[in-house]
Amino acid sequence: MSGAKEIRTKIKSIQNTQKITKAMEMVAASKMRRAQERMNQARPYAEKMANVMAHLAQANLEYKHSYTESRDPKRVGFIVVSSDRGLCGGLNINLFRQVLQSMSEWRDKGVEIDVTIIGRKGLGFFKRVGVNIVSEATQLGDKPQLADLIGAMKVMMDAFSEGRIDRLFLAHNGFVTTMTQEPRVDQLLPVSAAEPDERLEQHWDYLYEPDAREVVDALMMRYVESLIYRGVVENISCEMAARMVAMKSASDNAGNLIDELQLVYNKARQAAITQEISEIVGGAAAV
Amino acid sequence: MANTIKVEIVSAEEEVWSGEGTMVFAPAEMGEIGIAPQHAPLLTRLKPGEIRVQQEAGEEQFFFVSGGLLEVQGHLVTVLSDTALRAGDLDEAAALEAQRRAEQAMSDRTSEVDFAKAKAELIQAAAQLRAIQKLRGKGRG
């Protein structure tokens, strides 16, 4: 009966694992809902910002900001948004693959690469790969604060305005549905010109306080930051969705394993009983 | 509708408030400004302080901002409020910190406390206190 006992302990341990994965699935589901809410809350700011940018494109601006300036790329920057924790399926790996592909395209053209990492998983990965990491931000938690990102972002944005990098890309996961997340690499800098707002009349300018240059600087900076922040928030939604799906399939797998083991266990038990009976019968016949 | 102006206050993390007001006061960088309906288009930076929106019923709404941008577009006031403290040297410190962490991730080192951060936090705390005191004074009166 030794085989049956072993199988029983195995079933027990799989059941325990299943309990954990089920719990993680439910936690991820509720966190995903909250992350999606945050994604929606971040939307008005991005929309208002885009509006102001459109107005600004319409206004007769005498000052051209460095973020709009397009240069021949000699060195490019990537901001890679990843999750802090694992157990979320292929989410990070899919993104990294996309990033590496785009990186190798640049490298083939003889362009050098700087990287800013957001999230622990990305840090671990790109450290191993051996790219030049110029700044990082990790341990943002489920509720990322813009304040925690400022430093990491500024390193890259300064590098752009000082001409050390000529392009800046943001790599993050885009939330399509709960089941699908799409790795994306978008260009942040130079910013593409905003569409002028048609409803406003031509030929006017803002009053700027203190002056156009400083205000536009502040605006541009916040615009790019809001794009990055949005990417981070969206990535968290993706992380939760991916974790939920991964944990659900893990729970299902555990269920299948338990069913199979249960069958094996039953057979082993029956065999043991049959053997015992035949031994008794055999013994009785011998007497 | 000519005597009200639409006000929208948003931060990167959430929509704070939106509604109609007869007059808006904001802590612009060059001093407090008041915006009446039909104000000329204006774009300005804000410093930490409070935004007051006077409404038609004589009510007044208070909001604390730790800086940001304000846009006036005749019919609309948009406040793009910062959620974080922003100051040139503070941002610089944050950038250096992020850079240092990246270097540290490759090799290990310890950090120091920086004064720029402490200073900017003090400024914000003071502005917050002033806003609270004003609100309290109003509550009693």
Side-chain angles (χ1 to χ4, degrees):
Chain A
M1 193 93 185
S2 67
K5 192 162 187 290
E6 270 170 32
I7 295 168
R8 215 161 48 200
T9 45
K10 210 170 201 174
I11 291 178
K12 262 273 151 57
S13 96
I14 295 177
Q15 273 170 340
N16 285 339
T17 311
Q18 193 186 29
K19 270 183 208 154
I20 296 171
T21 56
K22 266 212 176 107
M24 284 182 79
E25 181 195 333
M26 285 188 277
V27 169
S30 84
K31 277 188 177 172
M32 183 186 75
R33 249 192 312 275
R34 259 175 285 156
Q36 273 176 307
E37 267 168 38
R38 260 194 293 284
M39 211 163 85
N40 291 336
Q41 278 172 350
R43 193 164 294 151
Y45 185 82
E47 278 169 11
K48 298 282 155 3
M49 193 57 107
N51 277 348
V52 176
M53 292 291 283
H55 292 168
L56 204 62
Q58 188 92 356
N60 293 333
L61 192 55
E62 68 272 28
Y63 166 61
K64 205 166 178 342
H65 193 268
S66 61
Y67 285 174
T68 57
E69 180 187 319
S70 146
R71 295 182 292 246
D72 218 20
K74 289 186 192 62
R75 184 179 265 274
V76 295
F78 282 88
I79 297 180
V80 181
V81 183
S82 65
S83 69
D84 272 336
R85 274 165 296 169
L87 290 181
C88 48
L91 184 81
N92 288 318
I93 297 304
N94 286 341
L95 180 71
F96 297 161
R97 195 179 299 142
Q98 182 105 2
V99 173
L100 284 181
Q101 193 194 334
S102 137
M103 276 182 182
S104 66
E105 277 169 25
W106 283 110
R107 203 162 279 174
D108 289 345
K109 289 183 213 159
V111 175
E112 285 180 275
I113 292 158
D114 281 345
V115 184
T116 286
I117 304 289
I118 296 167
R120 266 205 4 239
K121 289 286 153 190
L123 193 64
F125 177 80
F126 284 97
K127 211 162 77 183
R128 276 201 307 280
V129 172
V131 293
N132 183 24
I133 302 173
V134 292
S135 65
E136 59 110 321
T138 53
Q139 308 285 13
L140 297 171
D142 299 328
K143 203 177 166 191
Q145 308 269 307
L146 192 68
D148 300 330
L149 293 169
I150 289 171
M153 297 190 291
K154 189 174 164 62
V155 172
M156 273 298 180
M157 283 151 73
D158 281 355
F160 184 85
S161 35
E162 286 161 18
R164 276 181 280 128
I165 57 171
D166 308 298
R167 295 273 165 85
L168 181 59
F169 296 94
L170 175 68
H172 71 102
N173 281 290
F175 190 91
V176 185
T177 63
T178 312
M179 302 300 287
T180 43
Q181 294 86 35
E182 181 192 33
R184 277 188 210 146
V185 180
D186 302 325
Q187 181 169 322
L188 280 179
L189 293 175
V191 288
S192 42
E195 287 289 309
D197 192 336
E198 296 291 326
R199 292 165 298 167
L200 295 168
E201 40 195 298
Q202 300 280 325
H203 305 304
W204 57 276
D205 202 354
Y206 284 111
L207 301 170
Y208 297 96
E209 211 174 306
D211 64 51
R213 205 188 152 84
E214 279 183 46
V215 175
V216 173
D217 278 355
L219 183 69
M220 280 288 188
M221 191 176 80
R222 282 172 179 77
Y223 176 66
V224 176
E225 280 174 2
S226 80
L227 291 179
I228 299 173
Y229 179 76
R230 208 189 131 73
V232 172
V233 174
E234 197 169 353
N235 199 66
I236 286 173
S237 294
C238 290
E239 179 192 340
M240 294 308 164
R243 180 166 298 130
M244 193 181 88
V245 172
M247 287 301 119
K248 186 172 166 40
S249 72
S251 306
D252 292 350
N253 274 346
N256 289 342
L257 264 182
I258 290 171
D259 287 350
E260 275 169 30
L261 281 176
Q262 193 71 50
L263 278 182
V264 176
Y265 169 73
N266 287 346
K267 266 187 199 148
R269 186 171 147 272
Q270 268 173 359
I273 292 169
T274 313
Q275 196 188 352
E276 214 169 302
I277 290 173
S278 65
E279 273 166 9
I280 292 169
V281 172
V287 171
Chain B
M1 289 303 287
N3 54 356
T4 64
I5 188 162
K6 195 163 162 43
V7 186
E8 289 176 341
I9 304 176
V10 292
S11 78
E13 283 159 26
E14 61 189 343
E15 182 163 17
V16 181
W17 187 80
S18 85
E20 299 275 333
T22 50
M23 189 83 183
V24 183
F25 297 95
E29 208 171 43
M30 313 275 288
E32 189 173 60
I33 53 168
I35 299 151
Q38 303 300 320
H39 192 285
L42 168 78
L43 202 54
T44 179
R45 275 204 310 217
L46 299 176
K47 28 174 218 194
E50 51 159 13
I51 291 183
R52 282 183 293 144
V53 181
Q54 285 180 352
Q55 291 180 298
E56 261 183 320
E59 284 174 62
E60 217 169 32
Q61 301 277 347
F62 289 87
F63 305 95
F64 173 76
V65 287
S66 46
L69 286 161
L70 179 137
E71 189 218 18
V72 184
Q73 203 38 263
H75 55 286
L76 177 68
V77 179
T78 310
V79 179
L80 299 162
S81 143
D82 287 343
T83 44
L85 281 171
R86 306 305 294 262
D89 46 355
L90 179 64
D91 284 8
E92 199 65 52
L96 288 176
E97 172 69 15
Q99 234 165 346
R100 192 193 53 74
R101 275 202 311 267
E103 279 163 18
Q104 195 179 31
M106 313 247 203
S107 64
D108 281 306
R109 256 193 319 179
T110 49
S111 70
E112 289 172 45
V113 190
D114 51 87
F115 289 102
K117 187 169 180 176
K119 211 167 108 188
E121 257 171 39
L122 275 178
I123 292 172
Q124 192 197 27
Q128 241 162 357
L129 267 179
R130 269 200 302 279
I132 290 168
Q133 271 165 0
K134 267 193 190 168
L135 277 176
R136 280 213 187 120
K138 235 186 137 49
R140 274 201 301 271

